[in-house]
Each structure stands twice: as C-alpha cells, then as structure tokens.
Amino acid sequence: MLTLHKNTLWKLTLPLLLLAALGLLHSACASGSLTQASNWPGLTLTEDTLYVAYGESLRAIDLESGRETWRYPTEAERGLTFYAPPAVTEEGLVIAGAFDKQVYALQPNGASASVVWAFEGSTDRIIGGPAIAGSTALVPSADGNLYALDVGDGQPVWAEAQTAGHTLWSAPLVEGSRVHLASLDHNIYTLDLETGREIWRQDLSGAITDTPTLTDGILLAGTFTGKLAA
C-alpha cells in the first residue's frame, strides 16, 4: 500500500483546494451573490484554514473538508468589500482591512465572526495585507501610511503612522526589531518596529507592489521596471 507523508499530501491537495475555493467564489459571483469587485482574492493560509478575502465577504474554509466554516459579514453590507489578505494572530484573531478604509479584528464564532474592534484612522482603502509582530498589527494603507495597531484593542502603538511617499499595496516584512516596507514611490523603507521611525530607505527606480523577501541578510524586491533588486 502506498503511504503519503502528511506534508506531501498537503502539497498535492492544497492547489486543488485553492482552485475549489476560487471556483466557488467565481460561481457565486456569476450567480449575483457576490458584489462585482475589480480585484482578485486575497488568500491567507494557516495550518488548517484557508482565508479568502474577496468581494462582499471574508471567508474561512476548512482545508480538510474544503467547506466554508464561517464568513463575515453573514449578509452583504453596502460599501463593504474585502481585498487584502488577512493576518491571523496566535490566539486566532483575524485582522483584515477593507475597501471601506477600516481595519477589522474578527473573532470566529461558529458560522460567523464578531467584530472585536475596528480601526477607522485610514483615509483610503486597505489593499495590502497586515503583518503581525507580537502584539502589534502592521497595516499598510493606500493613503500612504503604515499603521501600527495593538491587536487587543486596535489603538495606535506608534506616536504617529509612518508615512511613505505613495500608496502602499503590500504587507510589510518583519525582521526582528525592524520592519521592511515596499512602496509605489519606488522606495524600500526600513523602520524601527518599536517606534516606527525610519532607519533607512533605498530608491529602486520602479514601483514596488509586493512584499520584499529576506534571505541571508539580503532583501530581494521586484519592481515595475522588470528588474529584481538585492
């Protein structure tokens, strides 16, 4: 009898589950049950759950069965559209930004999720996903600010939000006490996690819309110029 290692099985089945989740969203959209949103789904994967942020709702899908376990909101709300991949704390709190300029902290509860807190300080849509650093949620906004929020109550942690030169479309990368942030203004910023103060920046001569990668002390980032910078 052929026995597959659990990790191997995950690698084989995960793409199918992702396709099934996206197919579910596509069919729902075709039937009119999802609002028309000019974006693509934001996906976040944990050990046993796939979170899909798309259109009118944020959904949690059980990886073992492929079934939806909960969604927020349970009924469509006018003006509420999700796009940014959510972040999940060790305690299971789901942090998600939305097109209504708000950041939501959701606590799963059966087939739904309740709002623990909502941050209303952003002046533009939340497109990039949050990053969790201990008890702090780092949320990039299309208004050009990176907001540091306490995951317990949603209150700002830094004296003021870190302002980049342009829209932020990607999640920041946390490395120990530093935060690396990509911006459409062509810069990579490195900030102090505790205070939010800028440590350095580097102009890469092209807009950056994805989270940089760190390997062996080197940051890698692709730009709209078609180049990979190290």
Side-chain angles (χ1 to χ4, degrees), residues 16 22 68 100 103 128 146 151 156 160 165 168 183 191 217 224:
L16 297 178
L22 296 180
E68 179 182 304
D100 67 353
V103 181
L146 178 66
V151 297
E160 58 184 19
L168 301 176
S183 172
L191 317 174
F224 271 14

Side-chain angles (χ1 to χ4, degrees), residues 20 53 55 68 85 94 105 116 140 149 155 157 159-160 171 173 181 212 216 228 230:
E68 179 182 304
V94 180
V116 178
L149 309 176
Q155 294 301 307
V157 174
E160 58 184 19
L173 172 67
L181 180 67
D216 295 330
L228 176 67

